[in-house]
Amino acid sequence: MGYPTDPIQLGRHPGWPATLGRLRVPGGLVGLRPVRLRDGGAWSAIRSRDEDHLAPWEPFAAGSWAQRNTPAEWPARWYGLRRLGRSGLGLPFAITVGGRFAGQVMVGNVVRDPLWSAYVGYWLDSRLTRGGVTTAAVALVVDHCFGPVGLHRLEATVRPENEASRRVLDKLGFREEGLFRRYLNVEGGWRDHLCYALTVEDLDVGAVYRLIREGRATRR
């Protein structure tokens, strides 16, 4: 795979902003698009309701969960995410199901020459779990990162107890590489996290085609 070498392009993503998809899975029609300022209401409604579903896996931040997830918090978050996208340091995507905001996939800590790597993180509305939505969303991101964005390696860290997230990574061919001791402050303590990784060489076909071949998704 060729990597972008034009100096003009090194300060920004060749693949952001972008709209990706769509894939049909049991949970619905999945797509990805850049986060929008008007996503604030849906973002707040889902996260306020889903504290029990999301809080055990997310890093510590100041303030209560309710305070951090009000609609008023979204504009600053959105501005920061957009700035990362425009600077080439991240790819902040909204997950949509049937065209509606349902969660997020974030590709962050993008490092170019010599590593050409990044991490991927994600969360989804609890009402849409177990329908293949997250797996489809991450597959779309993997193919985008290894294609237009020109990356070579993607990493994901997950608590050993987070079986749902680990299943997503397993389905897409991510390999478990080791354990990071006391990696992130989650739920009042520094928690161990497993490191998963995927490189271009690990995929004989694209991540999306892999799901289609296995009967987990169809293109729409």
Side-chain angles (χ1 to χ4, degrees):
M1 173 180 293
Y3 302 123
T5 57
D6 184 345
I8 296 175
Q9 299 222 2
L10 291 180
R12 58 180 296 182
H13 278 303
W16 197 92
T19 299
L20 312 180
R22 297 171 292 175
L23 287 179
R24 172 72 67 181
V25 296
L29 189 59
V30 180
L32 296 180
R33 59 164 173 75
V35 291
R36 299 170 179 166
L37 181 58
R38 62 178 178 269
D39 289 330
W43 171 84
S44 176
I46 295 169
R47 292 185 60 85
S48 296
R49 168 174 41 80
D50 275 356
E51 178 178 359
D52 291 343
H53 174 62
L54 298 173
W57 319 119
E58 297 199 359
F60 169 82
S64 69
W65 184 268
Q67 291 170 335
R68 299 198 307 272
N69 291 284
T70 64
E73 289 292 305
W74 177 249
R77 288 175 180 263
W78 167 78
Y79 178 79
L81 292 171
R82 186 182 65 162
R83 184 174 57 187
L84 286 173
R86 288 184 169 182
S87 68
L89 298 177
L91 293 89
F93 286 106
I95 302 172
T96 62
V97 178
R100 295 186 178 184
F101 180 93
Q104 292 175 258
V105 174
M106 177 66 185
V107 178
N109 197 28
V110 174
V111 180
R112 294 179 179 79
D113 193 18
L115 295 180
W116 299 99
S117 69
Y119 75 78
V120 59
Y122 41 85
W123 67 267
L124 181 72
D125 185 333
S126 64
R127 296 173 300 183
L128 297 171
T129 59
R130 300 186 179 276
V133 173
T134 305
T135 304
V138 178
L140 289 167
V141 159
V142 166
D143 286 355
H144 190 59
C145 286
F146 288 162
V149 181
L151 298 182
H152 174 254
R153 175 182 171 92
L154 285 174
E155 296 181 356
T157 57
V158 56
R159 290 183 64 180
E161 304 90 340
N162 193 346
E163 295 181 1
S165 187
R166 294 176 65 181
R167 283 195 298 271
V168 168
L169 299 172
D170 287 338
K171 290 174 187 175
L172 296 175
F174 280 76
R175 62 181 175 275
E176 184 181 325
E177 291 195 332
L179 183 67
F180 293 163
R181 297 287 186 184
R182 295 173 289 280
Y183 182 65
L184 285 175
N185 186 350
V186 180
E187 287 198 309
W190 290 92
R191 311 298 182 181
D192 295 347
H193 282 66
L194 293 168
C195 176
Y196 283 79
L198 187 70
T199 62
V200 171
E201 295 87 350
D202 296 323
L203 295 178
D204 58 334
V205 295
V208 167
Y209 183 75
R210 176 176 177 153
L211 293 183
I212 294 172
R213 183 178 63 184
E214 294 174 353
R216 298 179 185 274
T218 58
R219 277 204 179 275
R220 292 298 299 271

